[in-house]
């Protein structure tokens, strides 16, 4: 007795330039069923969500609504079809009030103008269901990530959708808030809403969902009833190999302290952060999105000013907000967003690699193109960069190879401390392993590595020590033996040690 | 706990925050205070500044810029800008005057409607360039600033329309007063109240703020961003067209150079009026008050016998002061909001 799925995808594909983000994936969302979408970062989950929500149009394949083919020309079409989406990154209007954020485009109307009282009451009612204490009239600006996420959830609930897509809704929430969200989600499911749930916390998938679809590198692996799988089997599906093979951190003996951060504070962003990184060590900085990890890295590197505290590199004290001095002291930062911050996308591979060390390439007052090319060739070989010509612009490279270019740019300076922010985000599995091997080799050669990562397997596999941040504070320091998926997540969500 | 209860607890958390809130929500208060201070000081130095004739002149002088500032606000709120308004005013003023001079039989209301339509068409060109062709507004409207003015020059061919060429009834519109208030000021006030109400009470009005506050989120929220941006430009163009006729009626002498450079006065008024130049916040009331403030300062400086050359510098300093103040307030408010997390 198969009933028609509310919404289904048939063999949809979507490519961005040369990157095939989603390849011939089919998915069926049924009324009254919670369906999980599992896969590593970069597996294509978010692209699939954006196809469902009408943001991206598939290059091929079809979307069926109640068995009838439909086309979503934009998010408005998908919303009209009853699809509500909670995105991974909150998408609020900072200048507008919380209640207007929830009801934008659907504000209740009175005879003359908008019915703000009804809007306020409806918002309070939604917050009541979710157990949230927020003033509906306050602007969204300044809300914590968790509160922003709760507003997103209230917004999706207010749509009374037939299909509710939740892309990592729990990433920033505390245990109690998650429990309440699951309560609401369960009620919606009983009322016949089709849920699509994405989470990196496997136990949540097993708790909430009835079926799970696994993606790997943009392709469908399988769709199974949840009862047929164990968490280990699901991880194997997602990764496609055993974890050990993926993260080859060599054992090293830690040398002297290379980076020392003491009581670093930037008001309203992070508070009282202290840690050390020794030569030969890889220290992971874990935490949820918005916990302040990248902000600490930016301050240490001198991009943002800090209000109190001290940073020392090899015993030399850095002055705040001086990136050039930080670089001279031996710091290197590979930023999170390589397209915006790490690379000049239209410049060639060799130019990008040369960019952070132009002084060394100078011959008199001019930059030597020959030296630039030589350096680029040298590092391209060392990092096993896949490219056609060194003169090609970096935007033709795949994400993984772009990341290698950013790494090459900084490694050419021979830094003593390397900070990498989400080094393998959006990179295919094969190149990922190469980046990991590279970081491991760097540590072995005596570089102190500070790695910010949201991927737990990466953190657990690579790090000698794990620092965990929560809401701007360093809340835990775990050594390799103590660090586990549970202990890191517990600290990251502010639940303390289990 | 209900939201009412939570707002009660948060309200009890000290007066400093409430003040910040007040300033954040009613940014226009600052301009009213500045206006009050200006009138008090100048009036004390020279009481004739507060005479009916002087006040009437200030209203008359600020009406057109205020009207343009209201339109410009619509565009700026969406994180865009329209530099071409002065050229649209020029085109509309000359076009209207020419029709009235050469075809006296055409009824005045029809001419006004035609000028508004001409302005709306110019706005549509801007809107399509920005919305559909994705040219940054600064560049697109800089281009049309020259293009529209060029059309104006070509059309005029050096000709000038004088007051004597236009019907008396039309010219009276620019100078007549109703209940002691000049008609152009009343028109500007009516437009101000209407647009102000629409921005606050229509879904489409709220969407303009949403677009400026976060364009990406606006797309995800299903807002038809391009259509809304186009609408904002068309509305601004229409108001510039209306301002053009008002210009012709008020000054009587019209050639192809009318209103050259006015766009900067308009943007200055908008910024002084507390409209965020990067979109998302601000009101038309603030922008209109900004226009009145700038016109008042010009008058006050004249009354105080400040060198005309220094006036421009003073206006510039005031603009910078307004932007710095705006920025400082925004930082204060942002910090206050961060501290105001839910329990």
């Amino acid at each position: 007795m198969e009933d028609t799925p509310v919404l289904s995808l048939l063999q949809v594909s979507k490519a961005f330039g040369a990157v095939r983000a989603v390849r011939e994936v089919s998915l069926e969302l049924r009324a009254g069923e919670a369906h999980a979408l599992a896969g590593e970062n970069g597996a294509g989950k978010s692209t699939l969500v954006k196809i469902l929500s009408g943001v991206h149009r598939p290059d091929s394949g079809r979307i069926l609504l109640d068995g009838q083919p439909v086309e979503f020309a934009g998010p408005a079409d998908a919303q009209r079809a009853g699809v509500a989406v909670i995105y991974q990154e909150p998408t609020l209007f900072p200048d507008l009030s919380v209640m207007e954020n929830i009801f934008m485009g659907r504000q209740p109307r009175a005879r003359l103008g908008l019915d703000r009282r009804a809007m306020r009451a409806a918002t309070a009612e939604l917050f009541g269901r979710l157990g949230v204490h927020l003033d509906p009239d306050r602007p969204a600006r300044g809300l914590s990530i968790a509160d922003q996420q709760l507003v997103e959830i209230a917004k999706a609930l207010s749509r009374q959708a037939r299909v509710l897509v939740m892309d990592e809704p729990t990433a920033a929430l505390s245990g109690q808030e998650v429990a309440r969200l699951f309560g609401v989600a369960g009620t919606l499911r009983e009322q016949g809403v089709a849920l699509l749930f994405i989470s990196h916390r496997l136990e949540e998938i097993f708790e909430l969902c009835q079926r799970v679809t696994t993606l790997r590198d943009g392709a469908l692996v399988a769709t199974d009833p949840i009862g047929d799988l164990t968490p280990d089997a699901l991880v194997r599906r997602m990764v496609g190999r055993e974890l050990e093979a993926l993260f080859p951190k060599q054992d090293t003996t830690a040398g002297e302290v290379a980076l020392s951060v003491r009581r670093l504070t930037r008001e309203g962003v992070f508070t009282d952060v202290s840690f050390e990184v020794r030569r030969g060590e890889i220290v992971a900085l874990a935490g949820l999105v918005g916990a302040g990890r990248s902000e600490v890295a930016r301050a240490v590197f001198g991009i943002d000013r800090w209000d109190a505290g001290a940073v020392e590199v090899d015993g030399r004290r850095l002055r705040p907000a001086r990136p050039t001095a930080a670089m001279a002291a031996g710091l290197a930062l590979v930023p999170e967003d390589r397209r915006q911050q790490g690379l000049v996308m239209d410049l060639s591979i060799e130019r990008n690699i040369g960019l952070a060390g132009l002084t060394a390439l100078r011959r008199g007052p001019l930059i030597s193109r020959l030296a630039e090319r030589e350096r680029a060739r040298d590092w391209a070989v060392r990092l096993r960069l896949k490219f056609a010509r060194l003169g090609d612009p970096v935007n033709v490279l795949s994400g993984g190879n772009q990341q290698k270019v950013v790494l090459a740019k900084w490694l050419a300076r021979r830094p003593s401390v390397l900070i990498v922010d989400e080094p393998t985000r959006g990179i295919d599995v094969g190149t990922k392993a190469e980046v990991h091997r590279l970081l491991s080799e760097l540590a072995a050669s005596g570089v102190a590595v500070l790695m910010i990562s949201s991927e737990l397997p990466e953190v657990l596999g690579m790090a000698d020590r794990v620092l965990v941040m929560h809401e701007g504070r360093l809340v835990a320091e775990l050594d390799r033996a103590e660090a586990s998926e549970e202990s890191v997540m517990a600290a990251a969500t502010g639940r303390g040690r289990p | 706990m209900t939201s009412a209860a939570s707002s009660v607890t948060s309200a009890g958390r000290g007066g400093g925050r409430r003040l910040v809130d007040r300033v954040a929500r009613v940014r226009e208060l600052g301009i009213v205070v500045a206006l009050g201070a200006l009138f008090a000081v100048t009036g004390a130095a020279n009481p004739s500044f507060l005479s009916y004739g002087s006040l009437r002149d200030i209203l008359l002088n600020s009406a057109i810029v205020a009207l343009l500032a209201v339109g410009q606000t619509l565009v700026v709120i969406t994180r865009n800008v329209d530099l071409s308004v002065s050229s649209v005013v020029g085109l509309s003023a000359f076009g209207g005057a020419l029709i009235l001079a050469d075809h006296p039989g055409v009824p005045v209301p029809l001419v006004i409607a035609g000028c508004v339509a001409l302005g709306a068409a110019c706005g549509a060109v801007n809107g399509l360039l920005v919305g559909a062709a994705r040219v940054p507004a600064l560049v697109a409207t800089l281009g049309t600033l020259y293009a529209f003015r060029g059309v104006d020059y070509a059309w005029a061919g050096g000709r000038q329309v004088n007051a004597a060429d236009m019907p008396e009834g039309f010219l009276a519109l620019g100078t007549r007063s109703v209940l002691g208030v000049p008609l152009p000021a009343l028109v500007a006030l009516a437009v101000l109240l209407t647009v102000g109400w629409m921005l606050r009470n229509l879904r489409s009005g709220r969407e303009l703020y949403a677009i400026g506050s976060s364009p990406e989120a606006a797309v995800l929220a299903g807002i038809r961003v391009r259509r809304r941006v186009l609408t904002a430009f068309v509305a601004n163009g229409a108001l510039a067209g209306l301002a053009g006729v008002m210009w012709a009626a008020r000054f009587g002498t019209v050639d192809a150079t009318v209103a050259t450079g006015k766009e900067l006065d308009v943007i200055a008024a908008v910024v002084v009026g507390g409209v965020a130049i990067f979109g998302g916040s601000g009101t038309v009331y603030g922008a209109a008050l900004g226009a009145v403030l700038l016109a008042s300062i010009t008058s006050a400086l004249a009354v105080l016998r400040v060198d005309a050359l220094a006036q421009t510098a003073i206006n510039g300093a005031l603009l910078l002061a307004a932007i710095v103040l705006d920025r400082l307030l925004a930082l204060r408010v942002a910090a206050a909001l961060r501290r105001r997390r839910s329990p």
Side-chain angles (χ1 to χ4, degrees), chain A residues 313-391:
Chain A
V313 176
D314 292 330
R316 277 166 59 198
R317 203 163 166 155
L318 296 186
R319 291 173 64 198
R322 295 277 197 287
T324 321
M327 280 166 65
L331 265 179
L333 171 68
V334 174
E336 183 178 7
D337 183 349
R338 62 179 164 267
R339 299 182 66 89
Q340 296 288 333
Q341 298 168 356
L343 294 169
V344 186
M345 296 304 287
D346 298 327
L347 280 191
S348 66
I349 297 169
E350 52 191 11
R351 290 248 150 147
N352 268 289
I353 291 179
L355 219 47
L358 290 175
T359 323
L361 298 176
R362 248 178 31 197
R363 302 288 178 269
L366 305 174
I367 306 287
S368 159
R369 294 297 304 271
L370 201 67
E372 189 178 67
R373 175 149 295 194
E374 234 158 64
R375 174 194 277 191
R377 187 171 299 134
D378 180 28
W379 284 99
V381 171
R382 282 202 216 182
L383 304 192
R384 298 185 204 162
L385 190 70
K386 291 194 189 70
F387 62 98
R389 280 191 310 270
L390 283 171

Side-chain angles (χ1 to χ4, degrees), chain A residues 128-316:
Chain A
R129 271 164 80 189
L130 289 167
V132 181
H133 308 297
L134 278 178
D135 178 0
D137 280 294
R138 67 155 287 161
R141 190 184 300 283
L143 286 177
S144 72
I145 294 283
D147 286 343
Q148 290 182 39
Q149 200 68 52
L150 290 165
V151 174
E152 289 285 342
I153 292 166
K155 179 159 72 178
L157 288 183
S158 74
R159 290 187 182 280
Q160 314 201 320
R162 301 176 62 206
V163 178
L164 178 58
V165 181
M166 299 187 278
D167 190 355
E168 302 267 12
T170 60
L173 302 188
S174 72
Q176 199 189 348
E177 289 163 333
V178 171
R180 216 180 273 265
L181 173 64
F182 278 20
V184 174
T187 313
L188 290 175
R189 193 169 64 73
E190 280 159 25
Q191 290 166 358
V193 174
L195 300 176
L196 181 66
F197 182 72
I198 298 173
S199 174
H200 61 260
R201 299 183 196 164
L202 297 183
E203 72 274 14
E204 291 180 353
I205 290 181
F206 281 86
E207 184 186 335
L208 185 71
C209 299
Q210 286 80 54
R211 284 196 302 156
V212 52
T213 290
T214 316
L215 297 180
R216 192 196 308 146
D217 298 331
L220 182 74
V221 179
T223 299
D224 314 87
I226 200 88
D228 294 359
L229 284 175
T230 63
D232 284 340
L234 183 55
V235 169
R236 271 198 297 279
R237 291 238 155 123
M238 287 159 55
V239 179
R241 71 187 80 175
E242 298 299 324
L243 278 182
E244 280 71 16
L246 199 58
F247 306 105
K249 165 70 170 103
Q250 305 164 4
D251 281 329
T252 52
T253 42
E256 69 260 47
V257 173
L259 173 67
S260 154
V261 173
R262 283 198 305 274
R263 314 209 63 171
L264 205 64
T265 298
R266 178 170 160 82
E267 264 176 45
V269 184
F270 54 82
T271 311
D272 214 3
V273 173
S274 302
F275 61 88
E276 289 179 343
V277 187
R278 295 169 175 274
R279 292 186 170 281
E281 257 190 330
I282 296 183
V283 174
L285 194 50
L288 304 175
V289 173
R293 297 169 300 163
S294 301
E295 288 76 5
V296 170
R298 286 170 60 90
V300 167
F301 191 69
I303 300 170
D304 298 329
R305 177 168 290 279
W306 64 73
D307 297 317
V311 177
E312 281 179 15
V313 176
D314 292 330
R316 277 166 59 198

Side-chain angles (χ1 to χ4, degrees), chain A residues 58-121:
Chain A
D59 300 328
S60 63
R62 287 193 299 168
I63 306 174
L64 302 182
L65 182 71
D66 297 318
Q68 300 301 313
V70 284
E71 281 210 23
F72 293 157
D77 285 353
Q79 282 167 17
R80 221 169 292 123
V83 182
V85 185
I86 301 167
Y87 293 97
Q88 196 171 0
E89 314 268 314
T91 56
L92 299 181
F93 305 112
D95 300 293
L96 302 184
S97 68
V98 164
M99 60 182 188
E100 266 204 294
N101 266 288
I102 292 175
F103 287 99
M104 180 50 68
R106 301 168 297 128
Q107 295 96 330
R109 282 192 277 220
R111 243 165 313 160
L112 207 64
L114 299 183
D115 191 346
R116 288 191 162 73
R117 190 173 298 169
M119 186 151 70
R120 199 170 289 121

Side-chain angles (χ1 to χ4, degrees), chain A residues 50 53 55 75-77 79-80 87 89 91-96 100 104-109 112-114 116 120 124 127-128 132-145 147 155 159 267-269 471, chain B residues 1-4 6-7 10 17 25 79 197 199-204 206-224 276 278-281 330 333-334 336-343:
Chain A
K50 288 192 169 162
S53 64
V55 175
D77 285 353
Q79 282 167 17
R80 221 169 292 123
Y87 293 97
E89 314 268 314
T91 56
L92 299 181
F93 305 112
D95 300 293
L96 302 184
E100 266 204 294
M104 180 50 68
R106 301 168 297 128
Q107 295 96 330
R109 282 192 277 220
L112 207 64
L114 299 183
R116 288 191 162 73
R120 199 170 289 121
F127 283 169
V132 181
H133 308 297
L134 278 178
D135 178 0
D137 280 294
R138 67 155 287 161
R141 190 184 300 283
L143 286 177
S144 72
I145 294 283
D147 286 343
K155 179 159 72 178
R159 290 187 182 280
E267 264 176 45
V269 184
E471 303 237 316
Chain B
M1 191 165 75
T2 65
S3 69
S6 78
S7 64
S10 60
R17 215 211 69 225
R25 296 209 175 141
R79 205 179 276 193
W197 183 87
L199 274 182
R200 190 172 151 71
N201 284 305
L202 293 188
R203 286 178 183 171
S204 50
R206 305 311 298 164
E207 287 181 359
L208 292 183
Y209 284 98
I211 291 166
S213 193
S214 172
E216 303 83 24
V219 170
L220 294 178
I223 295 173
R224 301 191 185 275
F278 291 119
S281 71
V333 169
L337 284 173
R338 267 207 303 273
R339 284 194 292 276
R340 234 180 106 190
R341 288 183 170 177
S342 67

Side-chain angles (χ1 to χ4, degrees), chain B residues 264-293:
Chain B
L264 298 182
D265 291 4
V266 173
I267 292 167
V270 168
V271 172
V272 167
V275 178
I277 197 72
F278 291 119
S281 71
T283 65
V284 285
Y285 307 113
L289 280 169
V292 174
L293 179 63

